[in-house]
Amino acid sequence: TTHLVWFRADLRVNDNLALAAACRDPDARVIGLFISTPQQWRDHSVAPRQAAFIWQNLQALQQALAKRGIPLFMREATDFTAAVGTLDAFCTEQQVTSLFYNYQYELNEARRDALAERQLEGRVACQGFDDSVMLPPGSVVTGNGEMYKVFTPYSRAFLRRLGEGLPPCVSAPKPRAGGALSEVAALPPFDYPSETPDAMLFPAGEEAALKRLRDFCQTAAGDYPEKRDFPAIRGTSLLSPYLAIGVLSPRQCLHRLLTEHPRAAEGGSGAVWLNELIWREFYRHLIVAWPHLCRHQPFIDWTARVAWQRNDAHFQAWCEGNTGYPIVDAAMRQMKVTGWMHNRLRMITASFLVKDLLVDWRRGERYFMSQLIDGDFAANNGGWQWAASTGTDAAPYFRIFNPTTQGQRFDADGDFIRRWVPELSHIPGKAVHEPHDWAKKQGAALRYPKPIVDHKQARVATLAAYEAARKE
Ligand code: FAD
């Protein structure tokens, strides 16, 4: 018997449900496969930085599997449909008897898996696992058996479920009887644009991810509530790139957190960080309950009627970090350079695009995906629909961030802005939030754009556009 593990967004050996199940039979030959799908990635706007991070982590995975006597193969297919054909051919070539894989919940991914199961039926036994979540979609529901639309009751129900028993972590498989592989073939590069991530910021591999998780839970999870909103300091875990491609599992996060903060699930120290992990689950569960979210549709129907403005110059200024609003520009440049952006800034920049520039949130969603090393459809879509007030449990449409006061509040001394916007690096302290006022007082010239819109006017126009859509 040959057991195949089809790796996708689960690039790890620890706590990998499909891998563990494939290895349970000590007599089976176990092999792994990863299929790159460059055209599909283009369609999904996968960031070159994330593609490079996937590739780096595949290398680490290949080594970790080799130590356990499991070879990892790599194939290329244009898109998901072609990937099923590639998988089928590979199963025949390797005489695969059973296929083990971890579910992906996005619509195209789920369809690909359904197609694969249909195509292999009768020849290869297929088994899928709910591996990228703490609790499977559909298992945290209201009394009527429906998915929650509001986060707070969902999170309460989620914690109750955890109270009934924690989802266990499974260990990395032991080496197969034949022992470690003596040789591993070099993995071919992807046929996809690549941008190497900063190795200090995001070192590849499971060990690096686990170390970061341990350090964070030991030294920072307790202070997270006080520090998480300030982009100038490192107050959050920076684990999202690992969670997005499954170098780390949320169950590992949960168990490590509870080891260091045993009362986190009961509202004690560590609870606020756990709550963020539950937001991640909420958005994953949502796309399973409402698959139309994967088809560029808003959750709240009437918001589809908002008359967006198609102003390419504004959109471009936002992408490049040249809006004339320092906190927005600093954030957009942080993402362009590192592939990561602080959560508070994702909320501010998304709100700015939608509510100050009145640009369709889907353009922003796509641009974020094309830049983020932690690009994750459910979280990104959820975040954008929250900011655009089109989502379930989103910010109400009339709540519009003021980008200047947001900057003053969350980057009070302006340290973050000065770090990312060199044109403003000489402006002292709080003055950096309104740099043109400062320059005028000093009689100095500034090589930094004037605000591309007036926030007050933009706010009025946006409210009118939303109200018109709502009444239509
Ligand atoms: P921490 O604060 O340490 O949180 C721990 C983990 O919880 C994160 O790694 C992440 O997996 C999860 N998490 C935290 N906040 C959220 C949230 N609001 N929603 C869902 N999961 C969360 N997150 C992504 O992983 N990928 C995305 O593509 C993405 N796009 C976003 C777009 C917008 C417009 C917004 C507002 C948020 C988005 N987020 C996304 C959520 C959040 O900003 C990031 O998860 C977080 O900034 C990652 O940093 P961290 O690992 O230090 O998070």
Side-chain angles (χ1 to χ4, degrees):
T1 50
T2 296
H3 289 181
L4 172 62
V5 185
W6 183 14
F7 288 97
R8 296 96 61 88
D10 52 348
L11 307 182
R12 64 183 187 284
V13 295
N14 293 285
D15 192 35
N16 183 321
L17 300 184
L19 176 65
C23 292
R24 217 151 273 148
D25 174 357
D27 300 323
R29 168 178 170 250
V30 181
I31 58 179
L33 173 67
F34 183 88
I35 306 174
S36 63
T37 47
Q39 188 52 48
Q40 194 76 48
W41 293 351
R42 278 188 192 97
D43 293 349
H44 286 179
S45 303
V46 171
R49 215 175 252 106
Q50 187 175 54
F53 196 56
I54 291 173
W55 195 81
Q56 291 179 339
N57 281 288
L58 272 173
Q59 280 191 308
L61 175 68
Q62 184 190 32
Q63 298 293 336
L65 289 170
K67 277 191 200 155
R68 294 164 172 85
I70 302 170
L72 178 68
F73 295 83
M74 197 152 115
R75 293 285 184 273
E76 186 186 297
T78 47
D79 57 14
F80 284 164
T81 312
V84 173
T86 304
L87 173 73
D88 191 348
F90 183 82
C91 286
T92 308
E93 173 195 311
Q94 296 289 330
Q95 299 179 324
V96 170
T97 46
S98 298
L99 172 71
F100 298 82
Y101 69 96
N102 292 315
Y103 295 128
Q104 288 186 286
Y105 303 112
E106 302 87 344
L107 194 59
N108 292 336
E109 282 77 349
R111 283 190 176 150
R112 171 203 57 199
D113 293 348
L115 179 65
E117 290 226 8
R118 273 203 307 281
Q119 200 158 314
L120 296 174
E121 200 178 345
R123 290 182 288 140
V124 179
C126 299
Q127 256 194 82
F129 298 84
D130 287 297
D131 171 82
S132 72
V133 283
M134 292 183 266
L135 300 175
S139 69
V140 183
V141 287
T142 65
N144 297 333
E146 284 164 9
M147 172 61 190
Y148 287 93
K149 293 183 183 159
V150 181
F151 177 74
T152 305
Y154 170 86
S155 111
R156 257 189 248 118
F158 196 99
L159 289 167
R160 269 199 307 276
R161 282 286 318 265
L162 289 185
E164 290 161 14
L166 296 180
C169 281
V170 295
S171 320
K174 300 218 162 51
R176 311 301 294 165
L181 304 182
S182 49
E183 262 180 68
V184 293
L187 291 178
F190 295 149
D191 179 17
Y192 198 76
S194 164
E195 266 177 71
T196 311
D198 179 341
M200 296 287 279
L201 207 50
F202 298 115
E206 252 177 288
E207 276 164 30
L210 288 169
K211 179 176 183 321
R212 179 167 291 184
L213 172 63
R214 233 177 2 252
D215 291 350
F216 177 79
C217 289
Q218 271 168 11
T219 63
D223 298 334
Y224 181 77
E226 291 80 44
K227 294 196 171 156
R228 66 173 175 149
D229 263 324
F230 304 101
I233 54 174
R234 187 162 162 173
T236 68
S237 70
L238 286 174
L239 284 169
S240 51
Y242 304 94
L243 281 160
I245 62 168
V247 177
L248 196 67
S249 83
R251 294 176 301 277
Q252 290 174 304
C253 295
L254 174 67
H255 284 276
R256 175 47 57 180
L257 178 69
L258 290 174
T259 305
E260 303 294 340
H261 299 270
R263 311 239 7 234
E266 298 138 44
S269 169
V272 178
W273 195 62
L274 176 57
N275 203 49
E276 295 306 313
L277 294 173
I278 300 176
W279 269 107
R280 179 180 175 279
E281 302 264 318
F282 180 60
Y283 288 137
R284 279 181 182 235
H285 288 195
L286 273 180
I287 62 166
V288 176
W290 287 283
H292 73 281
L293 292 173
C294 295
R295 295 167 173 242
H296 317 292
Q297 283 169 33
F299 192 86
I300 301 175
D301 291 341
W302 67 259
T303 62
R305 295 194 295 266
V306 174
W308 307 111
Q309 286 186 9
R310 203 178 163 97
N311 184 327
D312 289 336
H314 277 177
F315 181 66
Q316 214 47 42
W318 177 79
C319 293
E320 302 295 333
N322 284 321
T323 66
Y325 284 94
I327 194 69
V328 173
D329 294 341
M332 295 305 289
R333 296 185 197 188
Q334 176 188 37
M335 178 167 71
K336 208 175 180 64
V337 173
T338 67
W340 186 86
M341 193 198 287
H342 190 279
N343 180 60
R344 169 57 51 182
L345 302 178
R346 294 188 206 210
M347 301 197 302
I348 295 173
T349 54
S351 170
F352 185 82
L353 183 74
V354 179
K355 306 240 175 112
D356 280 78
L357 303 182
L358 203 56
V359 168
D360 189 333
W361 57 274
R362 287 161 285 213
R363 289 184 83 186
E365 179 194 15
R366 183 165 274 265
Y367 180 72
F368 263 35
M369 276 314 258
S370 77
Q371 298 297 315
L372 287 172
I373 188 174
D374 65 12
D376 174 278
F377 179 82
N380 192 45
N381 183 267
W384 275 95
Q385 296 227 36
W386 181 88
S389 307
T390 62
T392 171
D393 203 10
Y397 73 90
F398 45 82
R399 187 163 138 213
I400 298 184
F401 284 162
N402 176 322
T404 308
T405 52
Q406 284 285 311
Q408 287 161 340
R409 208 163 137 206
F410 296 108
D411 187 31
D413 296 327
D415 293 337
F416 181 81
I417 291 171
R418 277 185 295 275
R419 197 179 304 155
W420 289 103
V421 187
E423 305 97 290
L424 303 177
S425 61
H426 60 294
I427 303 185
K430 301 175 191 321
V432 78
H433 295 290
E434 288 168 295
H436 292 288
D437 290 356
W438 177 86
K440 203 166 160 195
K441 274 190 212 138
Q442 302 288 316
L446 204 55
R447 279 185 31 255
Y448 179 70
K450 292 254 165 66
I452 57 172
V453 288
D454 174 81
H455 173 69
K456 275 195 191 133
Q457 287 172 7
R459 185 173 178 281
V460 173
T462 296
L463 286 175
Y466 272 76
E467 268 152 27
R470 196 162 64 111
K471 284 185 194 137
E472 218 175 87

